[in-house]
Amino acid sequence: MTPRTTTEQPAAAPLLDLHALVVAVRRRRRVWCSLALLGLLLGTAVAVLLPPPPTAVTKLLVAHQEDQPNDPGTLIRTDVALLQTTRIAGEALRSLKSPVKPEDFMTDYTAAGLTNNLLQIEVAGETDAEALARAEALAEVFVADHVRRIQEVADAEAKALLDQRDRMRDELAQVNRSIGDGAPGSGPKASADRESLFARRAELTSRISDFDQRAAEARMGTPRLVAGTQIVDAPRLVRHSLPRTAATDAAIGLALGLVLGLAVSAVGAVVADRPVLRREIAANLGASVIAELPRRSAWPWQRRRVRAARERLTTSLARTVRGSGEPVSLLELGCERSASAIALELAGALAADGPVAVVDGLPGRRLADRRSKPGDPAVVAGERAATVPRKERLVGIGSVAPGTAWTDLRYLGPRTVLVVRAGHGSAAWLHTVARQLADQHIPVVGVVLIDPDPRDRTDGTLWEGPFTALRGRNEVPVRRNGGGTSHAVQAVGEGGQRTERLPMWAARVPDSDQEGQ
């Protein structure tokens, strides 16, 4: 009976790594800070260059026949909607004798209900006098229209009641004629008919009196509503403070620009897929992060820290090179200046042990064409590396950026240290670099991370990687099914034992356009 073996299942990768997203957005602070500053400037410019037009404000007290203490504001919202009609706007323009169209005039004023019975109107104009005149005309027209509607409703209600009263009177006259024309009789039927007619006459008389009273009450309530609808605050100009308006617009522009910048940065970070965390860079390159180096800072209090970090890195790399009998190259990705400085400092540290030469394999021969200072190590171009005497130690420097001649990298050194700037290369390109180095049988000693995120707390040690700082040079881990390593790590791990032909999953699917070409 064969024992059952269990395999470790890789942890499911999240659809969106919030930690990496936050770090990527923070690294793009120039983008969202620039957009926030642009919004601030645009808001200030709008306030200064486009000041608000002269505006007049007035308040009206509006009385309604259906006023109730628990009214949620429906009646005053109806008044606001009626004010925004072409009829009100047209009557106001006719009173002003203005040729402006009512549709255009409606865009120059706004109304708002402050309470259930208090209406505020703001009207803009070309000048202060025009704004005041427009506000006064609009208020008077609205009051007159509201009073007219109240009177029309009261008149219509009174007329309906009086018409009903007149019909009752006609019926009463017919009943009286029936009573007068009735023949006297002593029978029970005649007596019952007379009693029915008298009862009907009494009922009609009562209803006629009720309709007269209701018609009078309908007209009596109108003067109270008319008197309650009036202009309580005469039109006055609204004073605009330029500093306050500029500050408000600037704050709004700053907020909108900041939100837009953060959104653009977040979307760009997700679309670009450029690893910034140690664990992501180590996983895609198949090598551990052995050192970090901040970018050169212009602040005086940070220069000493950068210098100390560079010295520690130089000492560590020099110790690694001395412990190896083979040359070690530096291959940069997005940090050519930093990699060149590291190569020169490393060559200077190794000069105490003997003659050292730096082999410049960078595009454009940046180091070979520079002006050398006294005491600097010798720099030779890549094509002249064969002329260097064998007794001199070589320190190669090259690039793994798109367009790299991969077959020339081995001449810079059989072992390499990758100098990568965080957030520069995409995940697909880092994967391509790892696979190309595996094809050339160039072991990666480790990764020097340039410009790391200061708040990154992830682990950059690739415990299952083939060429980590914790393992020997020729040690290759045992490949397990579902071990959680990426294709790049598996490709590098098989580099020392496989033939030149890649397996199907590694050879037929290019990771990027550059690799496919």
Side-chain angles (χ1 to χ4, degrees):
M1 184 174 183
T2 58
R4 178 178 300 177
T5 59
T6 60
T7 58
E8 298 180 4
Q9 297 296 331
L15 182 62
L16 182 63
D17 192 346
L18 294 180
H19 185 195
L21 180 62
V22 171
V23 172
V25 171
R26 186 167 59 243
R27 292 179 66 86
R28 297 179 177 224
R29 54 184 174 271
R30 290 185 179 179
V31 176
W32 48 265
C33 285
S34 300
L35 289 178
L37 180 60
L38 180 61
L40 176 68
L41 296 178
L42 288 179
T44 306
V46 167
V48 174
L49 301 179
L50 299 176
T55 306
V57 61
T58 183
K59 295 179 182 178
L60 308 179
L61 181 62
V62 184
H64 305 94
Q65 188 174 3
E66 301 84 2
D67 276 337
Q68 297 293 334
N70 57 351
D71 179 38
T74 304
L75 298 177
I76 198 66
R77 287 197 297 269
T78 303
D79 295 332
V80 171
L82 288 173
L83 191 63
Q84 296 285 345
T85 57
T86 56
R87 186 184 68 177
I88 301 296
E91 292 180 0
L93 291 174
R94 281 192 293 272
S95 64
L96 294 172
K97 298 180 181 179
S98 175
V100 181
K101 295 181 179 180
E103 293 80 3
D104 298 335
F105 180 49
M106 289 169 55
T107 61
D108 293 338
Y109 67 86
T110 58
L114 303 181
T115 63
N116 291 344
N117 299 98
L118 193 59
L119 181 65
Q120 177 176 292
I121 304 175
E122 291 187 4
V123 187
E126 296 293 336
T127 61
D128 295 345
E130 182 181 3
L132 290 172
R134 283 184 167 188
E136 183 177 4
L138 194 61
E140 292 177 352
V141 167
F142 179 78
V143 170
D145 181 78
H146 187 74
V147 169
R148 183 176 64 252
R149 286 187 287 107
I150 292 176
Q151 292 177 345
E152 290 176 354
V153 171
D155 293 342
E157 184 178 358
K159 184 177 181 302
L161 294 173
L162 293 177
D163 291 343
Q164 187 69 16
R165 182 205 61 182
D166 294 340
R167 287 194 295 270
M168 295 292 179
R169 283 181 177 179
D170 295 339
E171 186 177 355
L172 179 61
Q174 185 178 359
V175 171
N176 289 333
R177 286 193 300 269
S178 298
I179 293 175
D181 296 340
S186 58
K189 183 177 181 182
S191 177
D193 292 340
R194 282 195 301 271
E195 289 179 1
S196 176
L197 291 174
F198 282 117
R200 180 59 177 170
R201 183 174 65 179
E203 180 183 359
L204 291 174
T205 303
S206 176
R207 295 184 65 180
I208 289 171
S209 177
D210 182 57
F211 280 121
D212 284 336
Q213 184 179 358
R214 290 171 61 185
E217 290 177 354
R219 287 194 175 95
M220 287 176 59
T222 302
R224 178 178 60 84
L225 298 177
V226 171
T229 302
Q230 57 183 327
I231 301 175
V232 295
D233 191 2
R236 55 183 176 83
L237 293 175
V238 178
R239 300 299 177 184
H240 298 284
S241 175
L242 181 59
R244 181 180 301 177
T245 304
T248 303
D249 293 349
I252 295 175
L254 176 65
L256 293 178
L258 182 60
V259 171
L260 179 61
L262 291 176
V264 170
S265 300
V267 173
V270 173
V271 173
D273 191 19
R274 299 180 183 273
V276 294
L277 301 179
R278 298 188 194 95
R279 66 184 180 198
E280 295 179 341
I281 295 176
N284 284 281
L285 287 176
S288 299
V289 177
I290 60 175
E292 295 179 355
L293 188 64
R295 296 184 66 183
R296 186 182 300 276
S297 176
W299 303 108
W301 60 83
Q302 293 181 349
R303 293 177 182 175
R304 181 178 299 177
R305 180 171 61 89
V306 175
R307 190 181 305 111
R310 190 181 296 274
E311 291 176 357
R312 290 194 301 269
L313 174 61
T314 302
T315 303
S316 176
L317 292 179
R319 188 181 300 112
T320 301
V321 174
R322 290 191 185 100
S324 173
E326 298 177 345
V328 176
S329 64
L330 301 177
L331 301 180
E332 64 84 24
L333 180 60
C335 50
E336 185 174 324
R337 181 177 299 180
S338 299
S340 301
I342 294 173
L344 293 177
E345 292 174 1
L346 176 61
L350 296 175
D353 301 337
V356 180
V358 178
V359 180
D360 181 13
L362 293 174
R365 300 173 56 185
R366 307 254 176 162
L367 288 179
D369 295 339
R370 73 180 186 90
R371 294 182 179 180
S372 60
K373 299 179 181 179
D376 289 349
V379 180
V380 296
E383 59 271 13
R384 299 178 56 191
T387 61
V388 179
R390 293 184 176 273
K391 62 179 181 179
E392 293 189 14
R393 188 187 297 271
L394 299 180
V395 176
I397 178 171
S399 176
V400 288
T404 299
W406 301 104
T407 56
D408 294 342
L409 296 181
R410 189 167 182 81
Y411 297 99
L412 299 177
R415 306 178 68 193
T416 186
V417 175
L418 294 176
V419 185
V420 181
R421 182 162 67 91
H424 178 76
S426 64
W429 185 250
L430 296 181
H431 190 183
T432 300
V433 171
R435 295 179 59 181
Q436 291 290 348
L437 293 178
D439 285 344
Q440 301 300 322
H441 302 288
I442 301 177
V444 179
V445 177
V447 179
V448 177
L449 192 60
I450 304 297
D451 190 22
D453 185 77
R455 300 182 184 180
D456 183 10
R457 298 295 182 268
T458 59
D459 187 7
T461 303
L462 194 65
W463 295 97
E464 295 185 356
F467 302 106
T468 63
L470 302 180
R471 298 175 182 250
R473 171 188 168 191
N474 298 322
E475 182 181 355
V476 179
V478 179
R479 182 178 177 184
R480 296 174 300 177
N481 294 331
T485 57
S486 64
H487 291 175
V489 177
Q490 296 175 3
V492 176
E494 297 174 355
Q497 298 177 353
R498 61 178 182 153
T499 60
E500 290 297 324
R501 184 174 180 179
L502 293 174
M504 295 290 292
W505 57 267
R508 294 177 180 258
V509 183
D511 294 307
S512 63
D513 295 337
Q514 292 86 351
E515 184 183 358
Q517 294 174 359

